Amino acid sequence: MLRNGLEPWHLLIVAIVVIVMFGSKKLPDTARSLGRSMRILKSEVRALKEESAADPASGDPAGSAAPPVSPSEPAGTDGRGR
């Protein structure tokens, strides 16, 4: 009965229903927005992979954060040396 799950005419019916529901004017904008979202998602995943690959290579299990820098002058001075 269901040897082939999706046949070409099934996809045609789905496409017609989508066009009727959303209208032909909104489909290009929707597709463009979906494409942008996919590009952003791919770039974020790529950045996470690069970040996770760089962490073990550094050999520092706590991360590569720099230690806090102490101020060279006390907070109450204006730098004139009085």
Side-chain angles (χ1 to χ4, degrees):
M1 184 170 161
L2 288 175
R3 285 183 271 172
N4 296 331
L6 286 177
E7 293 185 13
W9 65 274
H10 288 118
L11 298 175
L12 180 66
I13 291 174
V14 169
I16 290 171
V17 169
V18 167
I19 291 172
V20 168
M21 286 178 60
F22 294 109
S24 61
K25 291 187 178 185
K26 288 189 177 184
L27 285 179
D29 293 334
T30 304
R32 192 174 300 117
S33 297
L34 182 63
R36 287 180 186 150
S37 298
M38 290 302 295
R39 269 187 254 126
I40 291 170
L41 178 66
K42 285 172 70 175
S43 68
E44 292 295 326
V45 168
R46 188 178 307 121
L48 284 174
K49 284 183 181 180
E50 289 173 0
E51 182 179 308
S52 65
D55 284 345
S58 68
D60 186 11
S64 61
V69 178
S70 61
S72 59
E73 298 178 6
T77 63
D78 60 357
R80 294 185 194 177
R82 292 184 195 177

